[in-house]
Amino acid sequence: MLKKITTLFFLLLASSSICFAQNTPLRIVHGSNAGAPQDVMLRILADEMSKISGRPVIVDARPGASGQIAMTVLKQAPADGNTIFSDGTGITSILQLPGHLHQWTDFEPLYRIQLDPFAIYVLPERFKDFAALKKEMQVNKDKVRIGGYAIGGPFQLVLMQIAEKMNGSFSWISYDSGAKAVVAVMGDQIEAAMSNVSIAATYLPKAKIVVQTGETRLPQLPDVPTLKELGIDMVRYHWRGMFIKKGTPEPLIDENFKLINAAIKSPRFQTYLKESGTIDGTMSRPAMKEMLTEQARTDNILLKQLDLVR
């Protein structure tokens, strides 16, 4: 009799543990402001993840220090698979700058979610097209003020590569978001802004995109040429993805990967990608690690050119 009671006790205990696990919220922390493209994307994704898994999925915006506040949250969390950190292309450059608090290798790559082409915004009445801006960058060189998110981040680094290929130059004006740089363009405070395609709907037609860095033209922006079309053989995307705490058991990492993948393939999320002009960035975890390693190497070369690192 005692044996049956003991067995029943452990069965009930196991059952309650499973229910607790299913009801334990999954938290996605990120370093962008609420309402930023990353935040919007994650909230749609989290809603789909919650529908699929039956558990709450919370998006926790922790802006500041170029994402490093959010990184600290992940580091302080237990390695139980219940906390995920979301970041993007800038993680391999920002974390090489002086004063960085973390290394990008401190985090386990989990999933590359989204590819968002870079885009150059101007005032339509100031620059008719990219050729006009290009000429200005070639003739007036450092007098052309172009703004975007952060110093030493991917927006500045990609623009450096573009300028080098066309023998032009610019002065970089740092903002704490790409949106603020576009607003500065609209206020005629700077000549251009380097941001993403995904924010276009908010600012067009008051601002104009003269070029985007994707492989092909986008259905949402059929009149906007790519760099390749204009003779600059270069394709770049700003990616957004997820990381998990190092030391998290592999089965839990795999479980999270499958859940994210299912949510990304959902009709609602695929519709969001099309409407925002962005692309499904899904790749294997080993491929994501390789991408990060190569990206960090290239970033280091460009950061040295800027004298931001030695």
Side-chain angles (χ1 to χ4, degrees):
M1 184 67 177
L2 180 60
K3 184 177 180 180
K4 288 183 179 180
I5 293 173
T6 304
T7 302
L8 180 61
F9 170 78
F10 281 111
L11 285 172
L12 290 171
L13 182 62
S15 176
S16 63
S17 297
I18 291 169
C19 291
F20 175 78
Q22 288 175 338
N23 292 322
T24 300
L26 175 61
R27 180 167 58 152
I28 303 172
V29 62
H30 69 87
S32 295
N33 293 314
Q38 184 179 29
D39 183 71
V40 172
M41 178 272 291
L42 289 173
R43 291 185 188 279
I44 295 171
L45 185 63
D47 191 41
E48 293 304 298
M49 290 169 66
S50 182
K51 289 176 185 175
I52 293 165
S53 65
R55 64 187 292 203
V57 182
I58 300 166
V59 176
D60 185 0
R62 297 292 186 98
S66 299
Q68 295 192 76
I69 293 173
M71 294 175 198
T72 301
V73 172
L74 177 61
K75 272 195 169 179
Q76 293 175 345
D80 58 6
N82 292 324
T83 302
I84 294 171
F85 163 63
S86 181
D87 207 307
T89 312
I91 192 170
T92 55
S93 58
I94 297 298
L95 296 186
Q96 294 190 62
L97 295 173
H100 61 81
L101 303 175
H102 311 287
Q103 303 283 348
W104 71 267
T105 51
D106 291 346
F107 312 103
E108 185 67 32
L110 176 60
Y111 205 106
R112 191 181 73 169
I113 303 167
Q114 177 188 36
L115 301 178
D116 192 353
F118 294 93
I120 298 180
Y121 291 76
V122 300
L123 272 180
E125 54 267 34
R126 189 161 188 175
F127 296 103
K128 177 184 176 182
D129 51 25
F130 181 69
L133 178 63
K134 176 182 175 181
K135 183 177 179 180
E136 190 77 7
M137 292 173 69
Q138 291 170 331
V139 174
N140 289 319
K141 300 284 184 177
D142 295 338
K143 293 182 181 178
V144 179
R145 300 160 300 175
I146 302 182
Y149 176 68
I151 294 174
F155 298 92
Q156 183 181 10
L157 299 188
V158 169
L159 190 59
M160 279 178 62
Q161 293 174 299
I162 295 172
E164 183 179 0
K165 285 181 177 290
M166 64 184 198
N167 194 29
S169 189
F170 62 94
S171 290
W172 182 251
I173 310 298
S174 173
Y175 293 86
D176 62 10
S177 73
K180 289 185 179 179
V182 177
V183 170
V185 167
M186 292 165 60
D188 207 15
Q189 298 168 6
I190 57 177
E191 280 67 55
M194 185 73 165
S195 190
N196 292 121
V197 162
S198 60
I199 67 168
T202 304
Y203 302 103
L204 302 182
K206 292 182 179 179
K208 176 181 181 179
I209 298 177
V210 289
V211 72
Q212 55 98 349
T213 63
E215 181 70 40
T216 60
R217 290 200 184 198
L218 298 166
Q220 300 80 1
L221 301 167
D223 298 327
V224 178
T226 66
L227 283 173
K228 288 177 70 175
E229 287 181 65
L230 301 180
I232 300 175
D233 189 15
M234 181 174 161
V235 175
R236 295 287 185 276
Y237 291 101
H238 176 58
W239 58 264
R240 300 182 182 95
M242 290 180 170
F243 297 80
I244 201 163
K245 183 161 183 173
K246 282 218 165 175
T248 301
E250 193 64 28
L252 293 178
I253 295 177
D254 188 53
E255 184 179 316
N256 274 299
F257 182 94
K258 289 177 180 177
L259 174 58
I260 298 164
N261 184 67
I264 285 173
K265 304 308 178 189
S266 68
R268 181 186 175 198
F269 195 80
Q270 288 296 311
T271 298
Y272 154 75
L273 290 174
K274 290 177 183 177
E275 290 177 348
S276 62
T278 58
I279 300 165
D280 187 332
T282 299
M283 65 189 333
S284 68
R285 286 178 51 225
M288 186 176 176
K289 286 184 180 181
E290 289 181 14
M291 177 201 72
L292 286 162
T293 300
E294 176 57 24
Q295 183 179 290
R297 185 191 68 79
T298 302
D299 287 349
N300 185 259
I301 294 170
L302 295 170
L303 292 171
K304 284 179 178 176
Q305 290 179 20
L306 289 169
D307 292 324
L308 292 175
V309 300
R310 297 192 177 202

Coordinates of all heavy atoms in Angstrom, one line a residue, residues 262-292:
A262 N 9.0 26.9 -36.5 CA 7.5 26.7 -36.8 C 6.8 28.1 -36.9 O 5.9 28.3 -37.7 CB 6.9 25.8 -35.8
A263 N 7.2 29.0 -35.9 CA 6.5 30.3 -35.9 C 6.9 31.1 -37.1 O 6.0 31.9 -37.7 CB 6.9 31.1 -34.6
I264 N 8.1 31.1 -37.6 CA 8.6 31.8 -38.8 C 7.9 31.3 -40.0 O 7.5 32.1 -40.9 CB 10.1 31.7 -38.9 CG1 10.8 32.6 -37.9 CG2 10.6 32.1 -40.3 CD1 12.2 32.5 -37.8
K265 N 7.6 30.0 -40.1 CA 6.9 29.4 -41.3 C 5.4 29.7 -41.2 O 4.7 29.3 -42.2 CB 7.2 27.9 -41.4 CG 8.7 27.6 -41.4 CD 9.5 28.3 -42.5 CE 11.0 28.0 -42.4 NZ 11.8 28.9 -43.3
S266 N 4.9 30.2 -40.1 CA 3.5 30.5 -40.0 C 3.0 31.5 -41.1 O 3.8 32.4 -41.5 CB 3.1 31.0 -38.6 OG 3.6 32.3 -38.4
P267 N 1.8 31.3 -41.6 CA 1.3 32.3 -42.6 C 1.4 33.7 -42.2 O 1.7 34.6 -43.0 CB -0.1 31.8 -42.8 CG -0.1 30.4 -42.5 CD 0.8 30.2 -41.4
R268 N 1.1 34.0 -40.9 CA 1.0 35.4 -40.4 C 2.4 36.0 -40.5 O 2.6 37.1 -40.9 CB 0.5 35.4 -39.0 CG 0.5 36.8 -38.4 CD 0.1 36.9 -37.0 NE 0.1 38.2 -36.4 CZ 0.2 38.4 -35.1 NH1 0.2 37.4 -34.2 NH2 0.3 39.7 -34.7
F269 N 3.4 35.2 -40.0 CA 4.8 35.8 -40.0 C 5.3 35.9 -41.4 O 6.0 36.9 -41.7 CB 5.7 34.9 -39.2 CG 7.0 35.6 -38.9 CD1 7.1 36.6 -37.8 CD2 8.2 35.4 -39.6 CE1 8.3 37.2 -37.5 CE2 9.4 36.1 -39.3 CZ 9.4 37.0 -38.3
Q270 N 5.0 35.0 -42.3 CA 5.5 35.1 -43.7 C 4.8 36.3 -44.4 O 5.4 37.0 -45.2 CB 5.1 33.8 -44.5 CG 6.0 32.6 -44.1 CD 7.5 32.8 -44.4 OE1 7.8 33.2 -45.5 NE2 8.3 32.6 -43.5
T271 N 3.6 36.6 -44.0 CA 2.9 37.8 -44.5 C 3.6 39.1 -44.0 O 3.8 40.0 -44.8 CB 1.4 37.8 -44.1 OG1 0.7 36.7 -44.7 CG2 0.7 39.1 -44.6
Y272 N 3.9 39.1 -42.7 CA 4.6 40.2 -42.2 C 5.9 40.5 -42.9 O 6.3 41.6 -43.2 CB 4.9 40.0 -40.7 CG 6.1 40.7 -40.2 CD1 6.1 42.1 -40.0 CD2 7.3 40.1 -40.0 CE1 7.2 42.8 -39.6 CE2 8.5 40.8 -39.6 CZ 8.4 42.2 -39.4 OH 9.5 42.9 -39.0
L273 N 6.7 39.4 -43.2 CA 8.0 39.6 -44.0 C 7.7 40.2 -45.3 O 8.4 41.2 -45.7 CB 8.6 38.2 -44.2 CG 9.2 37.5 -42.9 CD1 9.7 36.1 -43.3 CD2 10.3 38.3 -42.3
K274 N 6.7 39.8 -46.0 CA 6.4 40.3 -47.4 C 6.0 41.8 -47.2 O 6.5 42.7 -48.0 CB 5.3 39.5 -48.0 CG 5.8 38.1 -48.4 CD 4.6 37.4 -49.1 CE 5.1 35.9 -49.4 NZ 3.9 35.1 -50.0
E275 N 5.2 42.1 -46.3 CA 4.7 43.5 -46.1 C 5.8 44.4 -45.7 O 5.7 45.6 -46.0 CB 3.5 43.5 -45.2 CG 2.2 42.8 -45.7 CD 1.1 42.8 -44.7 OE1 1.4 43.1 -43.5 OE2 0.0 42.5 -45.1
S276 N 6.7 44.0 -45.0 CA 7.8 44.8 -44.5 C 9.0 44.9 -45.4 O 10.0 45.6 -45.1 CB 8.3 44.3 -43.1 OG 8.8 43.0 -43.1
G277 N 8.9 44.1 -46.5 CA 10.0 44.1 -47.5 C 11.3 43.4 -47.0 O 12.4 43.6 -47.5
T278 N 11.1 42.5 -46.0 CA 12.2 41.7 -45.5 C 12.1 40.3 -45.9 O 11.1 39.8 -46.5 CB 12.2 41.8 -43.9 OG1 11.0 41.4 -43.4 CG2 12.4 43.3 -43.5
I279 N 13.1 39.5 -45.6 CA 13.2 38.1 -46.1 C 13.5 37.1 -45.0 O 14.1 37.4 -44.0 CB 14.4 38.1 -47.1 CG1 14.2 39.1 -48.2 CG2 14.7 36.7 -47.6 CD1 15.5 39.4 -49.0
D280 N 12.9 35.9 -45.1 CA 13.2 34.8 -44.2 C 14.7 34.5 -44.2 O 15.3 34.2 -45.2 CB 12.4 33.6 -44.6 CG 12.4 32.5 -43.6 OD1 13.4 32.3 -42.9 OD2 11.5 31.7 -43.6
G281 N 15.3 34.7 -43.0 CA 16.8 34.5 -42.9 C 17.2 33.1 -42.4 O 18.3 33.0 -42.0
T282 N 16.3 32.2 -42.3 CA 16.5 30.9 -41.7 C 17.8 30.2 -42.3 O 18.0 30.2 -43.5 CB 15.3 29.9 -41.9 OG1 14.2 30.5 -41.2 CG2 15.6 28.6 -41.3
M283 N 18.6 29.8 -41.3 CA 19.8 29.0 -41.7 C 20.1 28.0 -40.6 O 19.6 28.2 -39.5 CB 21.0 29.9 -42.0 CG 21.5 30.7 -40.8 SD 22.8 32.0 -41.1 CE 23.6 31.5 -42.6
S284 N 21.0 27.1 -40.8 CA 21.3 26.1 -39.7 C 22.2 26.8 -38.6 O 22.8 27.9 -38.9 CB 22.1 24.9 -40.2 OG 23.4 25.3 -40.7
R285 N 22.2 26.3 -37.4 CA 23.0 26.9 -36.4 C 24.5 26.8 -36.7 O 25.2 27.8 -36.5 CB 22.7 26.2 -35.0 CG 21.3 26.5 -34.5 CD 21.0 25.8 -33.2 NE 22.1 25.9 -32.2 CZ 22.6 24.9 -31.5 NH1 22.1 23.6 -31.7 NH2 23.6 25.0 -30.7
P286 N 25.0 25.8 -37.2 CA 26.5 25.8 -37.6 C 26.7 26.9 -38.7 O 27.8 27.5 -38.6 CB 26.7 24.4 -38.2 CG 25.7 23.5 -37.5 CD 24.5 24.4 -37.4
A287 N 25.8 27.0 -39.6 CA 26.0 28.1 -40.7 C 26.0 29.5 -40.0 O 26.7 30.3 -40.5 CB 25.0 27.9 -41.7
M288 N 25.1 29.7 -39.1 CA 25.1 31.0 -38.4 C 26.4 31.2 -37.6 O 26.9 32.4 -37.6 CB 23.9 31.0 -37.4 CG 23.6 32.3 -36.8 SD 22.1 32.3 -35.7 CE 22.2 34.0 -35.0
K289 N 27.0 30.2 -37.0 CA 28.2 30.4 -36.3 C 29.3 30.8 -37.3 O 30.2 31.7 -37.0 CB 28.6 29.1 -35.6 CG 27.8 28.8 -34.3 CD 28.4 27.6 -33.6 CE 27.5 27.3 -32.4 NZ 28.1 26.1 -31.6
E290 N 29.4 30.2 -38.5 CA 30.3 30.5 -39.5 C 30.2 31.9 -40.0 O 31.1 32.6 -40.2 CB 30.2 29.5 -40.7 CG 30.7 28.1 -40.4 CD 30.6 27.2 -41.5 OE1 30.4 27.7 -42.7 OE2 30.7 25.9 -41.4
M291 N 28.9 32.3 -40.2 CA 28.6 33.6 -40.7 C 29.1 34.7 -39.7 O 29.7 35.7 -40.0 CB 27.1 33.8 -40.8 CG 26.6 35.2 -41.2 SD 24.9 35.5 -40.9 CE 24.9 35.7 -39.1
L292 N 28.9 34.4 -38.4 CA 29.3 35.4 -37.3 C 30.8 35.5 -37.3 O 31.4 36.6 -37.1 CB 28.8 34.9 -36.0 CG 27.3 35.1 -35.8 CD1 26.8 34.3 -34.6 CD2 27.0 36.6 -35.5

